[in-house]
Amino acid sequence: MKGSEQLFKKAQRYIPGGVNSPVRAFRAVGGTPLFIQRAQGARIWDVDDNEYIDYVASWGPMILGHAHPQVVQALQRAVERGTSYGAPTALEVELAALIVEAIPSVESVRMVNSGTEAVMSAIRLARGWTKRDKVIKFEGCYHGHSDGLLVKAGSGATTFGQPDSPGVPADYARNTLLAPFNDLDAVTGLVKDNPGQIACIVVEPVAGNMGVITPQEGFLEGLRKVCDQEGICLIFDEVITGFRVGWSGAQGLYGVTPDLTCLGKIIGGGLPVGAFGGRREIMENLAPAGGVYQAGTLAGNPLAMTAGIETLKLLKEAGVYEHLEEKAAYLCTEAEKVAHSSKTSTYCTRVGSMFCTFFTPGPVVDYDSAKQSDIDAFRRYFWALLKGGIYVAPSQFEAGFLSLAHTDEDIEKTLAALHGAFQAAS
Ligand code: KE4
């Protein structure tokens, strides 16, 4: 770990906390974060040449595995044509067309540079379209770090015990209303108490930032119904689930149609990207077509578009999601057996190739039940896995991801390491 320790020490001289995104700092599990030097397929190597089987997948984007040859070769060709023009290109039209084809509710889509920008912009659009101010979000869901959404936020905000960030003016937070995930009664109560004032409900259709929590029967359908009744814009934040849980995302899996969808991660193939799209009548309110302003120097960047196009073309191939489903189901079923044989209290969740092991008996249905998890047990589990050459997210409140590059051998190696990890956790 020497190399990472030296780099971490130096990094802290120049970068706050030594990292460019808090959850990478290993604060929840202690110790020194790994500084990664390269990745290939299902593997990553730290600067000390330690090799790991990777289940973080850069927090979701690397569904093909790292450095897929088709993506790398396309990027090599693209970079020789220049890296950014600040002008429209055929590439962004091609990626937009792929997204529109994949997600029927998306009739028109705008590219941005991150998931944060996508959700922030979608909410501004919903407010502009409805001429209302208030937003309903769910405790423990994370939608990026724009001010109004850092209220009971998940992911790193929960990991560090600051779900409500300092620096967010009370004025912003006042327009953000909170409900527990999976609690439709709480939502209808908020709607009743704020008649005609709610612009949108924003939800991760599968919560992926407090571990992985699935929508209970009727929850998403209930949100759709209340939005139809009240003229509220339903926004699905599919930054994680988009092209992860299926070609048409979680909305395709659960058969519930949002008004706006936010995307990121996979659609950029590991390059900086975000997107939001939906019903044309709403999207046409966006500048320059309409008055709601949103912009970005590097939006639709030719390199990110290239990586995204190649990634989606490969995901579109027949059998891809069935293959991911089969492998992830095997991994998680066998992992649960190992956990039960070790007598460790765990509650496992999975949707497609995203999954989580909670260190609590469960059931885990919302933020409060997720927070029951024994994070000390998780820490012991994390370090035992790492020592066994398995790299999972350094936080109980994140998702694990399987890629198309994980082999049967990788999965058997992982299951072997889990025996020791669950022992360490118990
Ligand atoms: P970015 O701004 O990080 O690209 O996307 C924000 C975002 C929006 N919506 C959802 C559902 C998300 O999960 C995210 C970001 N995910 C976190 C990990 N759970 C990114 C990792 C990090 O913050 O370093």
Side-chain angles (χ1 to χ4, degrees), residues 21 23 59 114-116 142-144 155 204 209 237 239-240 265 398:
S21 197
V23 73
W59 308 97
S114 69
T116 294
Y142 178 73
H143 304 288
S155 185
E204 294 179 63
N209 286 289
D237 177 349
V239 167
I240 289 183
K265 297 183 192 271
E398 294 290 354

Side-chain angles (χ1 to χ4, degrees), residues 1-13 18 32 35-36 47:
M1 179 77 105
K2 225 164 66 58
S4 287
E5 282 163 355
Q6 286 168 353
L7 272 169
F8 191 44
K9 196 161 177 297
K10 184 174 180 184
Q12 291 175 82
R13 272 175 37 210
T32 301
F35 278 62
I36 303 301
V47 291

Side-chain angles (χ1 to χ4, degrees), residues 91-100 102-103 105-123 125 143-144 202-203 235-243 251 258-269 271-279 283 286 294-296 298-301 304-305 308-309 312:
L91 290 167
E92 49 204 307
V93 178
E94 186 177 353
L95 185 54
L98 270 170
I99 292 169
V100 166
I103 308 178
S105 71
V106 176
E107 297 172 328
S108 170
V109 61
R110 169 64 57 87
M111 291 293 160
V112 295
N113 295 295
S114 69
T116 294
E117 269 190 271
V119 182
M120 176 181 76
S121 310
I123 286 176
L125 179 58
H143 304 288
V202 58
V203 65
I235 301 177
F236 273 12
D237 177 349
E238 296 223 40
V239 167
I240 289 183
T241 55
F243 297 98
Q251 57 194 274
D259 300 304
L260 293 176
T261 297
C262 301
L263 298 165
K265 297 183 192 271
I266 288 174
I267 66 164
L271 271 71
V273 76
F276 62 105
R279 287 166 46 196
M283 294 301 290
L286 203 57
Q294 176 275 327
L298 295 172
N301 173 276
M305 297 299 101
I309 290 163
L312 294 199

Side-chain angles (χ1 to χ4, degrees), residues 173-197:
R174 196 173 28 250
N175 278 320
T176 304
L177 308 176
L178 284 170
F181 190 71
N182 276 319
D183 187 339
L184 265 184
D185 292 344
V187 173
T188 46
L190 287 172
V191 172
K192 188 163 156 289
D193 295 348
N194 297 272
Q197 300 169 51

